[in-house]
Every structure is written in C-alpha cells, then in structure tokens.
Amino acid sequence: MSYPGYPNTAGGYPPQPGAYPPQAGAYPPQPGVYPPQAGGFQQQPGGYPPQQGGYPPQQGGYPPQQGGYPPQQGGYPPQPGGYPPQQGGYPPQPGGYPQAPPPGSWGGGPSGGYPSIGLGNVSNPGYPGMASQIPAGIAGFTLNPSMYAQAPGGYPPAPQPGGYGAPFPNQESYGLYPQPGGTMPQPQGYPGQPMPGYPRAPSPNPPMPGFGGAPAPMPAYPKVPSPNPSMPAYGGGAMPVAPPIKKGFRGTIKDFPGADPLRDVEVLRKAMKGFGTDEQAIIDLLGSRSNKQRVPLLRAYKTSYGKDLVKDLHSELSGDFRKLVLATLKTPAEFDAYELYSAIKGAGTDEACLIEILSSRSNSEIKEINRIYKQEYKKSLEDSISGDTSGHFRRLLISLAQGSRDERESVDISLAKQDAQALYAAGENKLGTDESKFNAILCARSKSHLRAVFLEYQRMCGRDIEKSIGREMSGDLESGMLAVVKCIKNTPAYFAERLYKAMKGAGTKDRTLIRIMVSRSEVDMLDIRQEYVKNYGKSLYTHISGDTSGDYKKLLLKFCGGSD
C-alpha cells in the first residue's frame, strides 16, 4: 500500500531498531532491510516510497497516474485486509464509538475510547498554507508543548509489523493518541518544511475549515433569508420608519386603587333612589373605574339589591348620557359585538363602523367578538356581514372578520418589496384593478410588514398607497380600503380623524364619539389626543367641550382625561 506524501529524502528514515533519530544509511531502505520484520508491511506497487506517478504527482499533474493516489489494493481507500484495521481497529466496529484498539493495531489508543479533540476550528500544523497554531487546550485536555515542535528530520514512525503503523514496544504510534504507558506523540514533518499532505483530500474531521489552505472564513450568503427578518435584509433598502411605539400604559382610565364593588353599587343605588337622580355621583364613580372594575358592578348590584343595574340606569337616565353610561358597563368584546350588530341591523349599514372595529382589533379580540356575537344574536358575524353587504367590500369585511392576520413584529424587506410590486401591478400598472390582490395583502400581512410595504410602494411609484386606492376604487370599497391603510399606518391618527369627523360640521355623530372614547380610553387615548392637537390645531378636550353639553359632556371629558 502506498504511504502518501513522502518523497525520498536523503538522510534517513526509517530508524534502525532501537535508534532514533534516524541513522545514516539512507532512506528508502535497501531490499531486505525494510520492512525489518517478517510478516510486516509488504510494499505494494505504487506504494511507499512512491513510484513514478505517485504522490506528490509526477509530471502530468493531478489526478495521479496509475500507482499514485488513491493507492491500489491494500492502500487508501482501504481494500479488504488493508486499512482500516480489522475488528477492534479504527473506525470502530459495532458496539461503541470508537472501541479502543487492541495493542498492535493502528494508533492503539487509551482504553475508554478517544476524546474528541475538537479540531473543527483549529489550523493543523504541517499542512500546506495553514498557520501552525493550536490552542493550548483542545476539547478539554491540554496538549503537550512537544506536539507543536517538529522534530529534526521528523517523519511519522514507520509502519511496523502487526498492522498499519503498529509500533515497536514502547514506541509512540502514528497519530495524536498516546500509547498505554507512552507520551503524546509529535506531529512531525520534514525539517524546516510543513508536513506534506493532501491539500484536497477528504478530511477525517470535515468541520475543520479550509483543509489545505488558510482557515476558511464563515461564508456569507447575500440572499439567505434573515433569521431575524426585522433587520434590514441583505441587499435591501433602509428599514421603514414605523410610528414610534410608546412603551407603557397610554390610556387615560386606570384601575382605581382599593375599589370595592359592593361599596360602589351602594353609591349607585343611593344616586338613583328616591326622587331625581344624582348624575354627578354616577359620573364620578364610572369615570374613575377601569372596565374590569365596572363590569362586576352588574353582578354586585343584583347580589345586593336583587335588581338589574342596566334596567335601573335605563329608567333613570336618558339620551346620549344614558348610551354612554350603559356602554361603560359592557366588556370590550360585548361592546364591539353590540356596535357591529347595531351597524348592520336596520335599513342602512354603518360601513365605517364595521371597518373601524374590524381593522383596529387584534386577532384574539376579533375571535372573542365573533364568539360573543354568535352567543348574543344567534347568528354568526360572518353571516350578518354577508347578508348586508356585497361585492369586494363584503370580501374585505369577511377577510378582516376571520381574525387571522399575521401578528409577527418582524419585517422581511425583500417580501415587502414583492408585495409593493404586486400592489402596483394590481392597480396603477394595469387597466382595471385586481381588488383581490389588495384584499389578500391588506388583510393577511402583519401591520409592521404593511408599513414597510407602503413605504416601498411610495418609493417605487412616487405616490402614496392612499392616492392609488382613491384612483383605482370607489364607493364603500374605497373607503374601506382607505380605512384599513390609515389604521395600519398610524392607529391613533386614524381614531383622531374619526373623532374629528364625528364632531365637525352641523350635528355630532354621537355613536362614533361614544364608541371611540369608551373603547380607546384604556388603550391609546393619550396618543389619540397628541395626534388630534397636531393634526387639527386644537385639543380633543376643547373640541368635545364645545360640541357636547351637560352630564354627557362631563363623562366624555372624564374619558378624555385632560386638555393638551
């Protein structure tokens, strides 16, 4: 079998029995001298020392000619009877990883197996082009400093009788594992030269980068999907600037410390008992309790007085003030379900209310609204929408009512660009409009992703997505799509606009005013107030004060929380 990589060098290997460093007397050995023992290593054609055409390759280059690398029978890769050694050798046979080789086999190692020496990121000394640096400790054991040095004239120990590389008694084996009773061997090469090897041979330790060259840097894949898509992706533009997410509580109504439902219902009962009603007591109490403190008052009132609080309030109060007070006693999902039902039933449909609720609520909130709606009105929300709307607007509402929008915060810029191109192709860039493409992207993608899409769209065609929707659509579908886009772009600004439109001009859309003031008072009312004064030049508090009156105004201003 061939022993790859060692051309003849005068001066001396193999050592004579008992003598190291090698004696004069020349290597390769003369006939009859090597192998020294009978039954040892039989030199094969093309073996070691290499014959013409061996490795390193003679004229004619690589791949080597016959007799070169890979070696012939008995060489590497192993043939039957060659390397690796037979049972008990390396690689191990079934029964363990790896089995300790018995004495006499290649690289006979310590009992208990070989430790993993973790050469995955180490430059191995003696290979062409590689730095000869080895960390002081590899995979949990400290290397002998003598490993690093190359002994003068240092060839690896010669193959000996008994198998490939089997040592003389007390001689170290070829490899990095000490013999029982021996010391760590030294990786050795020619004097003053790196140890020759196969620059591109399959590595026995494949994780080692750059075998035969400098340690390979971690490859960079310019188009690989980012594991953290919120980072601007490779080759993409700048991250779109989303409205700053203000941390912390942004509502105006907070839990009242130490609130007791039984004491609270006593106040309400006293306010309604007898002649007349103490509206101020009702305003002070309901305007200072959070939703989760108000809702239990219904049961506490019935427990204490055996009467229905809603019926009593309904009989004692009137007008918009009554609507506002009763709205405060519903859970958010109950209130939304009630508002959707009211928007659909009757002669007309309040399409803006449907869009407002369905485009601004989270998936979990929409699923709860669906459950309450079915429970209260014995009909699914989807059926109600289908029966009262039509065309692409109906599709838009049904899509939103599924509550299945992607809610991940991460943004993949490359996908955002694709969606922006798809919207452009479905609208501005064709005759007619593919409304279903708008529907699919606006109803399924996450809000943070859609903000990036809108930014990319504006960069691509120089026009806001809202302007394109206005040019391409009309009627309810246009207003619905615009509402979805505005709500996604900046939710507080969307609600500020809804409040402004509810109060401007002659008359007030009190249903919208009540719904937004109650439903957003514990969510983002502070942000809505900021957007309002920024966009309309006066505070929400001032506008409500000028547009409403009486007890209704007082309770609305409690939910507003203050002037800006």
Side-chain angles (χ1 to χ4, degrees), residues 34-59:
Y34 178 90
Q37 312 269 338
F41 182 93
Q42 296 299 319
Q43 186 164 323
Q44 305 298 324
Y48 181 92
Q51 308 305 311
Q52 183 171 4
Y55 185 92
Q58 307 307 314
Q59 188 168 358

Side-chain angles (χ1 to χ4, degrees), residues 521-536:
S521 62
E522 294 179 43
V523 182
D524 55 1
M525 184 57 71
L526 293 178
D527 298 329
I528 292 170
R529 279 166 42 184
Q530 284 181 5
E531 292 291 339
Y532 199 95
V533 75
K534 182 175 82 177
N535 295 336
Y536 306 109

Side-chain angles (χ1 to χ4, degrees), residues 45-200:
Y48 181 92
Q51 308 305 311
Q52 183 171 4
Y55 185 92
Q58 307 307 314
Q59 188 168 358
Y62 185 91
Q65 307 309 310
Q66 184 172 7
Y69 177 88
Q72 305 311 306
Q73 183 172 4
Y76 180 91
Q79 305 301 320
Y83 168 86
Q86 302 312 305
Q87 184 169 7
Y90 181 91
Q93 305 305 314
Y97 175 80
Q99 297 290 347
S105 69
W106 176 80
S111 60
Y114 303 101
S116 167
I117 62 170
L119 288 178
N121 57 358
V122 176
S123 306
N124 201 349
Y127 285 91
M130 298 186 74
S132 52
Q133 287 184 320
I134 297 185
I138 299 183
F141 70 87
T142 304
L143 301 181
N144 189 328
S146 65
M147 278 184 67
Y148 308 153
Q150 294 179 347
Y155 294 88
Q160 302 299 340
Y164 180 80
F168 284 126
N170 299 323
Q171 184 178 353
E172 295 164 350
S173 67
Y174 179 66
L176 290 180
Y177 304 107
Q179 286 285 54
T183 58
M184 185 66 73
Q186 304 170 3
Q188 295 155 349
Y190 298 111
Q193 298 179 20
M195 184 175 184
Y198 306 126
R200 291 295 166 194

